[in-house]
Amino acid sequence: MPFLIIQRLLSTIPVLLVVAVVVFLMLRVSGDPAAILAGDTATSEQIEAVRVALGLDRPVWEQFLGWIVQVLRGDLGESLFTGLPVTTLIGQRIEPTAMLALTTIVFSVLVAVPLGVLAAWRANTWVDRAVMVFAVLGFSVPVFVLGYFLMYAFSISLRWLPVQGYTSPFVDFGAFLRQIILPTLTLSCIYIALIARITRASVMEVLNEDYIRTARAKGQIERIVLFRHALKNAAVPIVTVIGLGVALLIGGVVVTESVFNIPGLGRLVVDAITRRDYPIIQGLILFFAFIYVMLNLMIDLTYAALDPRIRY
Amino acid sequence: MTRLTPTRRGFMAGTAAAAGAAALPLGAARAQAPSGVLRVIPHASLTILDPVATTGYIVRNHGYLIYDTLFAMDENLEVQPQMASGVEISDDGLTYRISLRDGLAWHDGTAVDAEDCALSLIRWGQVDGMGRRLFTYVDSCTHDGASTIVLTLNRPYGLVLQSIGKLSTNVPFMMPKRFSAKPTTERLSAEEMVGSGPFRFVADEFRPGARVVYERNPDYVPRDEPASNAAGGKVVHLEGVEWINFPDPNTQLNALATGEVDYWEQVPADLAPIVATMPGVNVENFNPLGNVGMARFNSLVGASANPGVRRAIARALNQQDLLLAAVGSMEFGQECFSVFPCGTTFANDAGSDFIREPDLEDARRILAESGYDGERFVVLATTDIPVQTNYIQVIVDTMRRIGINVDAQAMDWATVLQRRTSRAPVDEGGWNMFVTWWEGADLLDPVVQFAMSAGGDEAWIGWATDPTIEDMRTQFAEAGSMEEQLELAAKIQERFFEQNFHAVLGQFFTPTGFRDNVSGILQAPPFFWNIRKA
């Protein structure tokens, strides 16, 4: 196991290097932000002055080397627009995204796993079909449509919850809860659908195994059979989907953050792309790549914890 | 107060109707706002903070909150003293001695000094179009003691105070010398936002792209005169102002409906009729100068370098069609056949007959006479700014109808800003036309209007070159009387309509939405003094 962890940590280096090269080159191909920075009425001379001041007139390889050396020192650079360090900007925005991801995953798992087990247990009955209809709907309804619908119902009509915003739970937990409910419901829908389907398929497969029949023959109550024997043995594919879900969620959070005006990483990256703020885009993509690699490592480690047959 | 007439409704209308309960207490659902803090949806994200470093309107608005100006324009567009207590002009018109009011202080508590102000003017004069022109007349900009700024000219210039008191971007804001002495390529950071204006910037709360917080400056000493546009007494009735950035207009609408925000700076034209039906919410246009749309031509390359082609396009464009496409209703648009905003001092009719009655047949004739041979005409077609996108659809269609081989290349505005700096031929990534708009405040006269510049490399993007126009702009700047200026403005417009370095696309207005408990809003650009929140 320690060997696996070390090996996987080392493997992040070439992955991040490839990501860094690709992102850096693609951004340079897309043009530079000097004209945006200089403003609408800037003359060509002023735009060129900005370009020189930012070092954007230097050869690309020289800019790349400078940036890589900076990154190796743990410095992701500074925003070309605000002048703030990228790490500061990520630090300002990571909490809302992390909290939304956390509440979404927890809520999705709490709802989807029992639903999936229920559908498997009552396979081919109306219960099963109802769960699967919900799953198809969950996949099909775009996040922004669901978001606006929930906002209309709970914020505008019923006046129960605020339309937008984010408050840290460490500042005001009540406000945090009120503001996070609708985004969580919106974003959870697709993950509930995904996890419920996989759970159903996995549990159904396990329910046909001999040891389940044995457990039932021994007189175990059905709840124990389902959740202790069946679900535990069906857990590996479910954990895989949950893990991938977390990774996908980081990308998918952009729309939800926009609809509910949550100042998270998703909006930070979109704003940076719109302005061609290179250091932020580069820093964030590197950061996301690192998170993905770490998530995959955690999933692998979870396999071993769940299934004693898996050893690294 | 103008209430807008309700029109077509969709889902959002249902939203607005349901918001009928908006005036009711929200209880737990209502976001927590300290009384007296105005929550504002600004028109854009604030990322650059230095108002000299860029011309973005959002940075100008930010500047007005925390900085003050020596002179400022009132709602009659007349220049009034602001930080200045007065100005002495020598008989030969070459020396301006501007004295500062007593009691002026920077936010860090130090006194405002004439040297600070002189350096601020010099820094601004290196960047702003009108400032650059002013400084070609300036021999020295210095100070005499702590309270007098001395501007010495090398020859008489008629627009000294109009330049220093200009209303719109780049505004000559005053800042302490440790910042105003910096090169213009070195932008001021959040920690360096020290002005002497009626609000203070709260650097710790600054979240670029999300939230900007200003608090009342308790030490600010307002003038005694009533507030009028950027001039007069800047009396603050709020504890502070919070700008909250929303990426989505529908969420902006809903947040205003539920009272989570108090003030929506620019309500999109398609949502304004819905906002007008929401109880507890008002919609009003505070910017009578509006905005003026422009189709800017590249005067250097390809078909757009041909004045005949530019004239044919201008002859064909129908402002009413353009405005209806751009803002949806003539309630928010106004035909304007002058290069100056209609309703302002220098707006006139000279040379504008050919664009008043669009005529496609005549446009085809002009195009044929121009020698246009079907060369590809590249339009940088913005896709992410609805007003521009809609303008472009109509323009491109009109151009095709008169026989121009249009290549409309779709791209976001950031890419347009990059692409338009290219002077290359169209086959090598160059371009012929892009569409944008300017606030009316930036177009008031031929000198302040940078789009009117025709000095080649020194001109705005498009690099218009016309010594006649430049000579007349200089004469305007040096003119001794209003009559002379009016005459020159007409001549400049007439000449401009012969050259058509850009086509004028009409004037449009972006109303502001605000809750019933907000009052005292002044004319645009948005100013946040004088506003009360009950």
Side-chain angles (χ1 to χ4, degrees):
Chain A
M1 182 80 81
F3 177 71
L4 172 81
I5 295 173
I6 292 167
Q7 186 193 35
R8 294 297 287 273
L9 286 175
L10 287 175
S11 74
T12 59
I13 295 169
V15 169
L16 293 180
L17 194 62
V18 169
V19 169
V21 172
V22 170
V23 170
F24 194 91
L25 292 178
M26 283 182 71
L27 283 175
R28 265 51 187 185
V29 168
S30 73
D32 75 50
I36 307 169
L37 273 163
D40 206 26
T41 64
T43 62
S44 306
E45 192 186 328
Q46 288 170 321
I47 294 169
E48 192 51 36
V50 171
R51 191 171 283 127
V52 171
L54 295 175
L56 298 171
D57 60 326
R58 291 182 295 153
V60 172
W61 64 266
E62 202 179 311
Q63 292 181 44
F64 181 73
L65 277 184
W67 178 62
I68 282 292
V69 168
Q70 208 175 19
V71 169
L72 289 175
R73 289 200 303 256
D75 177 5
L76 294 177
E78 290 177 351
S79 161
L80 298 179
F81 285 75
T82 64
L84 292 172
V86 174
T87 46
T88 302
L89 291 168
I90 292 176
Q92 287 177 351
R93 301 295 192 98
I94 196 169
E95 187 196 299
T97 300
M99 285 297 168
L100 180 57
L102 183 69
T103 53
T104 299
I105 284 298
V106 169
F107 182 70
S108 300
V109 170
L110 288 178
V111 173
V113 172
L115 271 183
V117 172
L118 183 68
W121 182 47
R122 289 284 177 253
N124 301 318
T125 66
W126 69 269
V127 176
D128 180 25
R129 278 191 285 275
V131 172
M132 286 309 102
V133 165
F134 172 78
V136 171
L137 274 177
F139 262 104
S140 312
V141 179
V143 166
F144 66 91
V145 172
L146 184 63
Y148 287 135
F149 176 77
L150 292 174
M151 192 187 288
Y152 175 71
F154 294 101
S155 302
I156 303 294
S157 293
L158 296 170
R159 322 283 294 168
W160 289 352
L161 297 165
V163 166
Q164 55 84 39
Y166 175 81
T167 304
S168 169
F170 309 109
V171 173
D172 181 343
F173 191 71
F176 164 76
L177 274 184
R178 287 193 295 277
Q179 288 174 326
I180 208 74
I181 288 174
L182 293 184
T184 299
L185 284 175
T186 303
L187 199 53
S188 295
C189 207
I190 194 164
Y191 295 103
I192 291 173
L194 180 70
I195 297 168
R197 283 178 71 106
I198 294 295
T199 305
R200 174 185 177 271
S202 302
V203 171
M204 273 179 73
E205 200 178 314
V206 171
L207 284 177
N208 292 324
E209 296 288 338
D210 289 344
Y211 57 84
I212 296 293
R213 204 174 301 119
T214 306
R216 281 175 172 153
K218 281 165 62 184
Q220 281 283 20
I221 58 172
E222 198 62 11
R223 183 167 50 85
I224 302 286
V225 170
L226 282 173
F227 286 94
R228 186 175 297 171
H229 297 287
L231 184 59
K232 192 172 176 186
N233 285 292
V236 168
I238 299 171
V239 167
T240 307
V241 167
I242 293 171
L244 290 176
V246 174
L248 287 172
L249 199 144
I250 293 171
V253 85
V254 174
V255 176
T256 311
E257 284 182 357
S258 294
V259 169
F260 292 100
N261 196 29
I262 297 171
L265 289 175
R267 275 181 52 195
L268 180 64
V269 74
V270 170
D271 289 348
I273 290 168
T274 310
R275 293 193 305 265
R276 313 288 193 270
D277 200 338
Y278 294 161
I280 296 183
I281 305 169
Q282 291 162 182
L284 274 171
I285 291 179
L286 270 187
F287 176 73
F288 286 145
F290 180 73
I291 295 284
Y292 282 3
V293 173
M294 290 299 107
L295 275 172
N296 276 314
L297 176 61
M298 282 172 64
I299 293 168
D300 287 349
L301 296 178
T302 312
Y303 288 162
L306 287 171
D307 189 342
R309 292 170 298 181
I310 299 174
R311 284 288 171 266
Y312 297 108
Chain B
M1 181 176 299
T2 308
R3 289 300 298 247
L4 301 175
T5 312
T7 55
R8 185 166 56 86
R9 306 285 177 273
F11 172 76
M12 296 315 299
T15 301
L24 300 173
L26 272 173
R30 189 165 204 153
Q32 307 297 310
S35 172
V37 173
L38 190 77
R39 292 181 155 200
V40 174
I41 304 172
H43 74 269
S45 292
L46 182 73
T47 49
I48 298 173
L49 298 174
D50 185 343
V52 173
T54 185
T55 55
Y57 289 131
I58 192 70
V59 189
R60 174 201 63 189
N61 300 351
H62 152 79
Y64 268 119
L65 278 153
I66 61 174
Y67 296 109
D68 213 345
T69 52
L70 292 175
F71 292 86
M73 237 173 223
D74 65 15
E75 58 191 33
N76 298 318
L77 304 178
E78 285 171 9
V79 176
Q80 306 292 350
Q82 184 51 238
M83 291 169 78
S85 60
V87 56
E88 284 175 29
I89 306 171
S90 63
D91 291 342
D92 59 5
L94 294 179
T95 306
Y96 285 68
R97 294 177 63 85
I98 301 165
S99 46
L100 292 172
R101 283 197 283 143
D102 291 335
L104 298 175
W106 302 116
H107 295 161
D108 59 11
T110 56
V112 172
D113 186 271
E115 187 185 2
D116 297 320
C117 299
L119 288 170
S120 298
L121 284 179
I122 291 169
R123 188 169 190 254
W124 161 81
Q126 294 168 45
V127 173
D128 178 66
M130 202 168 181
R132 287 200 303 267
R133 179 173 283 266
L134 168 67
F135 270 79
T136 62
Y137 291 82
V138 171
D139 256 353
S140 67
C141 177
T142 180
H143 62 104
D144 181 6
S147 61
T148 306
I149 302 143
V150 183
L151 208 57
T152 310
L153 309 186
N154 48 38
R155 58 194 191 279
Y157 185 59
L159 300 176
V160 174
L161 298 184
Q162 282 84 348
S163 303
I164 299 175
K166 77 190 285 250
L167 179 63
S168 194
T169 190
N170 299 83
V171 178
F173 292 119
M174 296 298 113
M175 43 189 79
K177 58 175 139 317
R178 62 184 187 277
F179 306 129
S180 54
K182 284 193 168 194
T184 54
T185 48
E186 204 174 307
R187 279 174 287 128
L188 303 181
S189 68
E191 286 70 33
E192 294 171 320
M193 289 295 101
V194 177
S196 64
F199 290 90
R200 292 192 298 217
F201 182 76
V202 184
D204 291 347
E205 305 262 352
F206 179 46
R207 299 286 179 275
R211 186 165 174 260
V212 192
V213 177
Y214 304 92
E215 61 185 10
R216 189 173 71 89
N217 174 10
D219 302 322
Y220 184 75
V221 182
R223 298 185 67 88
D224 295 332
E225 301 91 337
S228 174
N229 216 338
K234 298 179 176 178
V235 181
V236 176
H237 303 293
L238 302 163
E239 285 173 30
V241 174
E242 185 179 341
W243 286 3
I244 308 168
N245 287 107
F246 285 61
D248 181 58
N250 292 325
T251 311
Q252 295 174 341
L253 177 82
N254 290 330
L256 186 67
T258 58
E260 290 173 48
V261 294
D262 310 301
Y263 180 106
W264 185 0
E265 186 194 338
Q266 290 185 1
V267 179
D270 57 333
L271 295 180
I274 298 168
V275 177
T277 66
M278 298 192 309
V281 176
N282 304 288
V283 184
E284 193 173 340
N285 175 32
F286 291 102
N287 185 358
L289 300 175
N291 310 282
V292 177
M294 285 181 191
R296 181 71 173 181
F297 298 109
N298 184 343
S299 305
L300 290 184
V301 302
S304 55
N306 181 337
V309 174
R310 300 198 298 260
R311 187 173 177 84
I313 294 169
R315 180 80 175 101
L317 292 175
N318 181 324
Q319 281 198 12
Q320 186 161 346
D321 290 349
L322 289 161
L323 288 164
L324 285 172
V327 293
S329 154
M330 289 309 281
E331 193 173 4
F332 303 110
Q334 173 180 305
E335 289 178 301
C336 182
F337 303 105
S338 173
V339 293
F340 307 106
C342 287
T344 61
T345 310
F346 297 107
N348 66 83
D349 295 336
S352 64
D353 285 346
F354 82 109
I355 56 169
R356 286 179 181 274
E357 297 294 335
D359 185 332
L360 296 186
E361 269 311 310
D362 195 38
R364 288 186 193 106
R365 181 189 60 77
I366 297 170
L367 189 67
E369 287 174 4
S370 74
Y372 174 69
D373 59 359
E375 186 181 350
R376 191 160 62 100
F377 193 104
V378 173
V379 175
L380 304 181
T382 315
T383 54
D384 57 340
I385 300 178
V387 170
Q388 290 184 19
T389 307
N390 297 343
Y391 262 142
I392 288 166
Q393 300 292 327
V394 178
I395 294 169
V396 167
D397 176 62
T398 307
M399 287 168 68
R400 285 184 175 141
R401 285 164 66 191
I402 63 171
I404 295 177
N405 173 21
V406 181
D407 176 9
Q409 300 180 358
M411 62 193 74
D412 66 351
W413 177 239
T415 307
V416 173
L417 288 174
Q418 293 165 11
R419 280 280 304 276
R420 72 179 195 175
T421 61
S422 168
R423 301 181 192 211
V426 291
D427 291 336
E428 295 168 24
W431 57 279
N432 296 113
M433 191 186 89
F434 68 89
V435 170
T436 187
W437 74 78
W438 292 64
E439 280 194 11
D442 284 316
L443 310 174
L444 293 174
D445 67 51
V447 175
V448 76
Q449 184 170 157
F450 189 50
M452 187 71 82
S453 56
D457 284 349
E458 290 297 309
W460 187 39
I461 297 284
W463 309 286
T465 306
D466 188 295
T468 308
I469 289 181
E470 277 304 288
D471 284 350
M472 286 195 285
R473 289 179 80 218
T474 302
Q475 288 172 38
F476 181 94
E478 295 176 358
S481 70
M482 177 58 83
E483 288 71 28
E484 209 179 330
Q485 287 185 333
L486 285 167
E487 192 183 328
L488 280 162
K491 283 183 181 169
I492 290 170
Q493 174 169 304
E494 196 165 9
R495 175 67 182 172
F496 190 86
F497 280 142
E498 286 166 19
Q499 294 294 322
N500 294 289
F501 295 119
H502 60 251
V504 180
L505 309 178
Q507 206 168 347
F508 64 92
F509 306 92
T510 42
T512 296
F514 57 100
R515 302 282 311 174
D516 263 350
N517 60 344
V518 175
S519 60
I521 301 172
L522 298 168
Q523 278 189 11
F527 302 115
F528 295 97
W529 53 87
N530 204 57
I531 291 182
R532 291 177 191 273
K533 181 181 168 186

